[in-house]
Amino acid sequence: MTKMILEQSEHPLTPADLDELEKLYNWKFPESFRQLYLQYNGGYLPDKWMEHEDIVFGGFDSIRYGKSPAEEVYLNLIEAYPQFVNLFPFAYDRFGHDFLLSLREEDHGTIYMFIMDGEDFFEVVDTFDEFLDLLIVHE
């Protein structure tokens, strides 16, 4: 398996950045999520990977920093859709729909897709690792 590579990542996060966010909302990010975001604070897959995707992936949001950090997107999301509390938007597809990481107790780590032109969301995969596996080119 090839390692995940992201381009155009924002200012790097520190473990304290993620710890602060977890403490603020009483969350616990999956370890693989933490590791990816400590290496890359958002970004895009290399162009050569785009044709190999199993999903129509756009990119990962930065958690902090940048024009539209996931932390801010989350607050806007739950203001408009309170039922999405503890579903953290961390990535998006090419149509602007959000991928959400569940940080709820009952389905912790499950990845959902939120279709922006309604209130519908559906399960994509059970874990963040499975989500990454959809994106990584296997050689």
Side-chain angles (χ1 to χ4, degrees):
M1 180 169 74
T2 303
K3 181 179 159 190
M4 172 69 69
I5 298 169
L6 295 177
E7 299 174 339
Q8 299 180 26
S9 186
E10 289 292 340
H11 181 78
L13 294 174
T14 66
D17 288 324
L18 293 174
D19 294 345
E20 181 182 323
L21 191 57
E22 287 178 327
K23 185 176 180 181
L24 181 63
Y25 294 105
N26 196 30
W27 289 341
K28 181 69 178 150
F29 291 122
E31 187 57 29
S32 55
F33 184 90
R34 286 184 66 90
Q35 292 307 313
L36 179 73
Y37 271 91
L38 288 173
Q39 184 172 9
Y40 302 107
N41 183 18
Y44 307 97
L45 294 172
D47 287 340
K48 68 179 183 172
W49 284 16
M50 298 310 264
E51 64 196 50
H52 297 290
E53 296 175 29
D54 291 330
I55 59 176
V56 183
F57 188 72
F60 286 92
D61 294 312
S62 63
I63 287 185
R64 291 191 168 164
Y65 316 112
K67 289 172 47 175
S68 188
E71 190 174 14
E72 185 178 301
V73 173
Y74 174 70
L75 293 175
N76 292 334
L77 180 70
I78 62 171
E79 182 178 320
Y81 304 99
Q83 68 271 31
F84 290 163
V85 167
N86 296 326
L87 294 173
F88 187 67
F90 68 93
Y92 50 91
D93 71 6
R94 292 187 202 151
F95 305 107
H97 307 302
D98 286 323
F99 290 102
L100 309 172
L101 169 65
S102 175
L103 298 163
R104 304 179 301 194
E105 187 175 321
E106 66 269 18
D107 59 354
H108 187 269
T110 301
I111 305 299
Y112 294 96
M113 175 172 263
F114 172 49
I115 307 301
M116 297 297 284
D117 41 350
E119 294 185 25
D120 296 333
F121 72 105
F122 61 90
E123 184 176 328
V124 177
V125 290
D126 291 331
T127 68
F128 187 70
D129 288 328
E130 288 177 70
F131 182 76
L132 292 180
D133 199 45
L134 292 174
L135 303 178
I136 295 173
V137 174
H138 298 272
E139 298 173 347

